[in-house]
């Protein structure tokens, strides 16, 4: 039982690190898309950004479900 809890704690730590990395990646993507936004079609850029946000949210939800 103690070993199982230890294993789950280790998994939780790894998942939290992955979430933190995904959040950092998401922030970088937001910044790069904002820069791209100034050079392209605003409607298209907004649609791309919305899709990226949905993808990141799905990834975070999957990590939280584990």
């Amino acid at each position: 039982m103690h070993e199982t809890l230890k294993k789950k704690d280790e998994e939780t730590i790894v998942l939290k690190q992955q979430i933190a990395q995904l959040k950092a990646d998401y922030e970088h993507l937001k910044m790069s898309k904002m820069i791209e936004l100034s050079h392209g079609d605003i409607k298209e850029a907004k649609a791309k950004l919305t899709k990226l946000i949905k993808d990141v949210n799905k990834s975070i939800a999957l990590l939280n479900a584990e």
Side-chain angles (χ1 to χ4, degrees):
M1 177 111 173
H2 180 68
E3 190 64 33
T4 304
L5 287 175
K6 185 178 177 183
K7 200 178 248 188
K8 288 295 181 185
D9 286 343
E10 290 171 358
E11 287 177 18
T12 300
I13 290 169
V14 169
L15 290 173
K16 285 182 179 181
Q17 290 171 341
Q18 289 175 342
I19 288 170
Q21 183 61 49
L22 284 170
K23 286 180 180 180
D25 291 347
Y26 170 68
E27 289 300 320
H28 290 117
L29 282 171
K30 278 194 333 186
M31 284 194 296
S32 68
K33 286 298 177 183
M34 283 193 283
I35 292 168
E36 184 180 308
L37 183 94
S38 64
H39 298 300
D41 180 27
I42 291 175
K43 188 173 183 177
E44 182 180 331
K46 193 173 185 179
K48 286 181 184 178
L49 188 55
T50 300
K51 184 185 179 319
L52 285 172
I53 292 168
K54 286 180 183 179
D55 290 344
V56 169
N57 286 338
K58 284 179 188 177
S59 297
I60 291 171
L62 286 172
L63 286 172
N64 285 333
E66 290 183 11

